[in-house]
Amino acid sequence: MRNTLLIIDDSELDRAIFNEIFKKEYQVLRAATASEGLDMVRNNVLRLAVVVLDICLQRGSSGFSVMERIHNLEGCANLPVILLTAEPEPQWVYRGVEMGAVDFLAKPLAPLPTQNRIKAIIEEAWGSEEEQDAEAPAGKISLAQAELISTRWQKKFLSFCHNHDDTFSSYIQRLRIITSALSNTYSELFPESGLTPYDAKLISMAAGFSEIGQLGLPDEVVWAGPDQPEPGRSQFFQHTQLGGDFFKDAPHDWEPLTTYCSEVAMYHHKNYDGTGYPPKLSRDEIPLSAQLVHTAMLCSDLADRYEKEPDVFKMVYRALSLRVGHALSPNMLKAMDASRKSLENVFRTMHLNRRPKPEDGKPRVRDAVSPREDAKAEPKSDPKGSKIVENFFRPRRGRD
């Protein structure tokens, strides 16, 4: 249960105020220095719901560097960090969001608005109290174990992508949060689907591995994306099969996390009407996990497109409403509409740091992972290619 909040602030008064605001509903940890705060994070990885971090710590590292160190700790890649300052300069806000902060609070803290904002962030990241308390079915992986495993492997995955595109980490973080909002709402709206709060949490974890199959492709094929000429085009389409195979033969006690990871990696580019890739399957034959992540990818892509509009959610919703029956199901649009509050906050706070295109003109990896609805070519089978990573999860002596 994520019932613990941590504030890292060298002001004793501000720490006391924060404690008074939340002590009736949460356990509140207070740290005066960066080193003390990092120790508290390490010792409470599975209980922490959010970290509130002062930008201007007078002793030791700045708040920005502390946030980066927190997200590099095992199990903390998706831990929400809210930055706190008495002087919310626009450049600081922009830098904080670029580095992965989910929100900004200005001192002095107003109790009711602070409560509402932080509660909303906790629910977006971890779900409601009922969802967090959801027990794993007998013989299935616990949410705590799944979180540790998924964050460990996501960190490894992102380390391979960093030199290609330093915005990819923030993109994956945003994708997971959007998927979480859609999944939780879908389980509430459509209980007949069989999607439980437990499954919704696992699917949001699986979203972080949607593009893992691209590790099996040459860099130039990934950069060129789905619109490149043959033979690269067909080769690019193979990344979904590679991604699906990546999670085969995983330890049985990791289920159903690895099944969701495999489904998402295989079908995240599949449109509801059957177009997209890989071939076959349409409508409700497509795994619900993949439909949710596919919709989240469309939301993220469209939010980038309309980020300068006054009402980003309205523009994204309008664009997706025109694609019902083609890119997504009617139920997915209903889930998106019901997730309005959560998605509005994501679209407002989580933007990507776009770098200028390199002089060689090659697109970045981020350009290749955005959903493309016009990609209708079917991938060609490649038995040899599909075995590149199929043994990755086989037990090996000496492996941690």
Side-chain angles (χ1 to χ4, degrees):
M1 175 66 181
R2 299 278 178 172
N3 63 347
T4 302
L5 312 184
L6 168 62
I7 180 170
I8 307 175
D9 193 325
D10 52 20
S11 167
E12 183 177 359
L13 175 60
D14 290 326
R15 296 196 303 271
I17 292 173
F18 188 83
N19 181 63
E20 284 298 314
I21 292 174
F22 289 102
K23 67 180 183 180
K24 292 183 180 180
E25 297 182 73
Y26 297 93
Q27 179 180 354
V28 180
L29 302 178
R30 291 171 281 176
T33 66
S35 60
E36 185 182 0
L38 288 167
D39 285 340
M40 289 184 178
V41 173
R42 291 188 190 95
N43 295 331
N44 297 276
V45 170
L46 296 181
R47 297 191 296 120
L48 273 177
V50 73
V51 174
V52 176
L53 174 62
D54 187 12
I55 289 179
C56 299
L57 295 173
Q58 295 180 3
R59 298 191 294 268
S61 305
S62 73
F64 293 115
S65 62
V66 174
M67 178 171 64
E68 186 175 18
R69 291 166 67 185
I70 288 173
H71 283 154
N72 285 332
L73 294 174
E74 183 172 359
C76 298
N78 299 295
L79 178 62
V81 176
I82 300 170
L83 295 178
L84 180 65
T85 181
E87 300 177 4
E89 297 293 334
Q91 65 269 25
W92 287 8
V93 175
Y94 185 67
R95 182 183 175 191
V97 171
E98 285 179 340
M99 293 182 66
V102 297
D103 208 342
F104 232 91
L105 294 177
K107 299 180 182 182
L109 295 176
L112 186 57
T114 300
Q115 280 182 334
N116 292 338
R117 289 171 73 175
I118 290 184
K119 284 182 178 179
I121 287 168
I122 291 172
E123 288 203 7
E124 288 167 18
W126 311 113
S128 64
E129 290 185 12
E130 293 77 12
E131 291 161 351
Q132 291 186 53
D133 287 336
E135 295 184 359
K140 303 298 183 182
I141 191 171
S142 70
L143 289 178
Q145 290 174 316
E147 187 179 317
L148 279 177
I149 290 170
S150 64
T151 52
R152 175 183 298 174
W153 287 106
Q154 183 173 302
K155 183 176 180 181
K156 293 178 183 290
F157 171 39
L158 293 175
S159 70
F160 284 101
C161 304
H162 179 72
N163 291 330
H164 297 284
D165 188 345
D166 60 5
T167 68
F168 192 61
S169 177
S170 60
Y171 168 73
I172 290 297
Q173 182 187 17
R174 181 171 66 180
L175 181 64
R176 282 191 54 162
I177 293 175
I178 295 174
T179 302
S180 177
L182 292 174
S183 299
N184 290 329
T185 303
Y186 197 99
S187 69
E188 295 173 3
L189 291 179
F190 308 107
E192 68 277 8
S193 69
L195 182 68
T196 67
Y198 167 81
D199 295 302
K201 293 301 296 180
L202 294 183
I203 292 171
S204 69
M205 297 176 197
F209 301 100
S210 55
E211 297 291 356
I212 201 166
Q214 292 195 15
L215 293 180
L217 300 181
D219 287 348
E220 60 271 17
V221 173
V222 174
W223 287 332
D227 299 323
Q228 63 189 290
E230 296 292 357
R233 181 178 173 85
S234 293
Q235 191 174 5
F236 179 83
F237 292 151
Q238 292 170 12
H239 81 271
T240 56
Q241 183 66 55
L242 291 173
D245 289 345
F246 189 92
F247 294 97
K248 290 182 178 179
D249 300 314
H252 182 71
D253 55 2
W254 288 11
E255 287 292 351
L257 173 64
T258 48
T259 291
Y260 287 137
C261 288
S262 182
E263 290 174 349
V264 167
M266 177 75 81
Y267 296 109
H268 64 281
H269 284 304
K270 193 71 176 171
N271 290 319
Y272 186 65
D273 64 0
T275 57
Y277 50 92
K280 301 179 181 179
L281 301 191
S282 63
R283 303 179 70 82
D284 294 333
E285 296 174 333
I286 304 169
L288 182 56
S289 59
Q291 292 188 50
L292 287 162
V293 175
H294 178 66
T295 303
M297 293 179 77
L298 291 171
C299 286
S300 180
D301 192 45
L302 289 166
D304 282 344
R305 185 180 305 177
Y306 297 120
E307 67 177 357
K308 295 183 179 180
E309 295 290 334
D311 190 337
V312 178
F313 178 88
K314 179 179 179 180
M315 298 301 294
V316 173
Y317 180 83
R318 181 181 297 173
L320 287 183
S321 67
L322 298 175
R323 306 182 193 184
V324 170
H326 164 47
L328 70 162
S329 70
N331 284 354
M332 283 293 162
L333 187 69
K334 292 178 182 177
M336 184 199 167
D337 189 30
S339 305
R340 175 186 294 267
K341 184 177 179 180
S342 296
L343 295 182
E344 282 179 336
N345 187 59
V346 174
F347 297 160
R348 176 176 60 85
T349 62
M350 300 191 70
H351 303 287
L352 303 182
N353 178 24
R354 293 178 179 79
R355 297 181 300 181
K357 284 191 175 181
E359 292 182 1
D360 59 13
K362 290 182 178 178
R364 298 295 185 187
V365 172
R366 176 67 185 85
D367 298 325
V369 300
S370 296
R372 308 290 181 89
E373 290 191 61
D374 56 349
K376 299 181 180 180
E378 298 181 353
K380 298 177 181 178
S381 61
D382 181 7
K384 292 182 180 179
S386 65
K387 294 184 181 295
I388 291 177
V389 292
E390 69 175 357
N391 294 320
F392 186 85
F393 284 113
R394 292 188 186 280
R396 296 177 185 174
R397 299 178 67 181
R399 229 179 84 183
D400 58 354

